[in-house]
């Protein structure tokens, strides 16, 4: 079952969206309840809760997307390295192969 936030953001298919909404709602609850317990002002506490939701959700969204981009870069580098390893295996360009003196003089 898919859940669309604001009618267009499909939480199930967009990376980091589900976690951002969950952490945003938790941040909203903590900040709103904390402000209410400190001041006993209901309307202001609701405003703080909405602000806490937005800030927490956007903060975690940026953090998660940054980590996802780093992970994709590492995966791409690893994939290219494995392809190069297969391509150069057994040749004189193989970085894992020890070269002897006679092989060095040939090249």
């Amino acid at each position: 079952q898919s859940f669309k936030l604001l009618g267009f953001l499909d939480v199930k298919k967009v990376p980091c969206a589900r976690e951002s909404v969950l952490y945003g709602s938790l941040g909203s609850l903590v900040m709103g309840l904390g402000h209410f317990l400190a001041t006993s002002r209901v309307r202001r506490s609701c405003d703080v809760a909405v602000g806490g939701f937005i800030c927490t959700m956007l903060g975690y969204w940026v953090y998660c997307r940054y980590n996802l981009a780093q992970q994709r870069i590492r995966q791409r580098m690893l994939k290219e390295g494995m392809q190069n390893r297969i391509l150069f295996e057994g040749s004189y360009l193989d970085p894992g192969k020890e070269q002897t003196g006679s092989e060095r003089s040939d090249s």
Side-chain angles (χ1 to χ4, degrees):
Q1 189 82 18
S2 182
F3 174 71
K4 292 193 176 195
L5 186 66
L6 301 175
F8 65 91
L9 180 64
D10 192 1
V11 175
K12 188 175 182 180
K13 293 182 182 177
V14 176
C16 299
R18 179 180 177 267
E19 293 86 4
S20 296
V21 171
L22 290 174
Y23 281 119
S25 61
L26 181 66
S28 169
L29 179 70
V30 168
M31 291 180 78
L33 189 61
H35 190 271
F36 176 73
L37 290 174
T39 63
S40 297
R41 297 174 67 190
V42 176
R43 184 173 177 94
R44 176 66 72 139
S45 297
C46 290
D47 293 340
V48 168
V50 170
F53 174 77
I54 293 170
C55 290
T56 307
M57 187 177 79
L58 289 177
Y60 188 76
W61 175 271
V62 169
Y63 170 75
C64 184
R65 294 296 287 202
Y66 177 74
N67 284 337
L68 186 65
Q70 280 186 333
Q71 181 182 9
R72 287 182 179 169
I73 290 170
R74 284 192 301 265
Q75 286 176 343
R76 190 177 327 122
M77 288 174 57
L78 184 62
K79 182 179 176 183
E80 290 172 2
M82 289 172 61
Q83 287 174 347
N84 288 338
R85 172 74 179 187
I86 291 170
L87 182 67
F88 295 127
E89 189 173 19
S91 71
Y92 71 93
L93 296 173
D94 187 5
K97 182 180 174 184
E98 290 187 26
Q99 295 181 348
T100 62
S102 62
E103 289 176 344
R104 288 186 199 147
S105 64
D106 290 342
S107 55

